[in-house]
Amino acid sequence: MHFSQGQIYFVIFFVCAFTLALIWSYRKDKDTNKKNYTGVWKVLLTVIVVLATLSFILKNMRNH
């Protein structure tokens, strides 16, 4: 599938604009995020441990 010149320009513009919007939004909310999401790493670690345990249990149940 070939893309027209206009489609290629649109993708380049969209990616640049989206990236700039993400950076601007992140910087604007940086202080708020530090205050509200201080313990998020504990939640992430818990989710990873639960998924790993579930995966281990399911893998061992299939072998028996």
Side-chain angles (χ1 to χ4, degrees), residues 22-45:
L22 283 176
I23 291 170
W24 177 75
S25 178
Y26 175 77
R27 288 189 179 180
K28 190 175 107 177
D29 294 337
K30 192 174 183 179
D31 294 331
T32 306
N33 289 341
K34 283 182 183 179
K35 184 177 78 174
N36 292 331
Y37 300 110
T38 54
V40 73
W41 66 272
K42 295 175 189 175
V43 175
L44 178 64
L45 184 62

Side-chain angles (χ1 to χ4, degrees), residues 41-55:
W41 66 272
K42 295 175 189 175
V43 175
L44 178 64
L45 184 62
T46 303
V47 168
I48 290 171
V49 168
V50 168
L51 289 176
T53 304
L54 182 61
S55 176

